[in-house]
Amino acid sequence: MTRTLYLFCSAAPPVFDVARVIEDAQSRGWDVCLGLTPTAARWLEHSLDGLAALTGHPVRFAYDLPGQPDVWPEADVILFAPATFGSMNEWALGLTAKFVVSVAAQGVGKGIPTMMMPCVNEAHLRHPAFGTSVATLGAAGVTVLYGEGAYVANPPGQELPGGYPWGVALNALEGAYGLRPTPP
C-alpha cells in the first residue's frame, strides 16, 4: 500500500537537506511530493530537476493554471517543515497567496492529517504572532512539533545545536496518526 506524503518547505537553512529527508521518508514507505515556497524554490533552483527525479513527481511552488489536472496523487499526510515565521503566520491567518500554504490550509479543511515543525529563532518567539499562530494552527487540528522533544528555537544567527530535527518530524508521521511503516 502506497502512502503519500506532501512535504512542504519554506526558505530556511534546513531546506538544503531536503533530498536526504526525502530519501529517509521513502525508506519508511512514503511516496513523497515536494512543495516549496517561491523563495525556497529559488534557493534550490539548481536541484529542482534532481528532486523531481528523486520523488517521481514535479516539484511544485506555484499554482497551476485553472483547468489543469492535478499532477500529484492525493495526500495521506501533510508535513510543513521547515515552516518559517512568515509561512506559519500566513497559514494561521488563511493568507493563501503561496501554493504550499494554500494546500496546507485546504488539507486541514479536508481532514488530511497535517503537521508543522517551525524553523524560527528566539527573536520570533517574542513576537505575539508566534504564539497566536501556534495556537490557531493547533486549534485547527494541525500537530505542531514545537518544544521539548521536537523543535526548540535557537538564538538569532546561530546554528541549531544538533541540527534541525528532521527525524522527529518523520517519526511523528508514523506515530501521530497510527500509521505504520509499509513492509519492504
Side-chain angles (χ1 to χ4, degrees):
M1 178 173 113
T2 301
R3 302 173 304 162
T4 301
L5 166 64
Y6 284 8
L7 175 60
F8 295 156
C9 303
S10 298
V15 77
F16 292 110
D17 294 329
V18 76
R20 181 186 55 78
V21 174
I22 291 167
E23 290 171 338
D24 191 0
Q26 289 170 331
S27 74
R28 296 168 183 237
W30 292 99
D31 178 23
V32 181
C33 296
L34 177 63
L36 303 169
T37 62
T39 302
R42 187 171 53 82
W43 286 12
L44 297 176
E45 68 183 316
H46 299 297
S47 304
L48 295 178
D49 289 341
L51 291 167
L54 178 62
T55 64
H57 304 286
V59 176
R60 297 187 62 189
F61 50 89
Y63 288 102
D64 288 333
L65 294 174
Q68 290 184 319
D70 196 345
V71 295
W72 285 355
E74 288 189 36
D76 292 302
V77 176
I78 297 170
L79 170 61
F80 203 139
T84 60
F85 185 64
S87 292
M88 275 181 48
N89 293 330
E90 290 169 355
W91 185 7
L93 290 170
L95 304 175
T96 58
K98 293 177 184 159
F99 168 75
V100 293
V101 174
S102 179
V103 174
Q106 290 180 53
V108 172
K110 292 177 178 179
I112 298 169
T114 304
M115 306 170 66
M116 184 274 295
M117 188 161 62
C119 186
V120 297
N121 64 46
E122 290 172 349
H124 293 125
L125 300 182
R126 290 191 274 284
H127 191 287
F130 180 80
T132 301
S133 292
V134 167
T136 298
L137 293 171
V142 175
T143 300
V144 179
L145 302 170
Y146 175 75
E148 197 63 37
Y151 178 83
V152 178
N154 55 306
Q158 292 186 15
E159 295 289 322
L160 288 170
Y164 190 72
W166 282 111
V168 168
L170 294 177
N171 289 340
L173 294 173
E174 306 299 334
Y177 303 107
L179 299 171
R180 299 291 171 251
T182 302

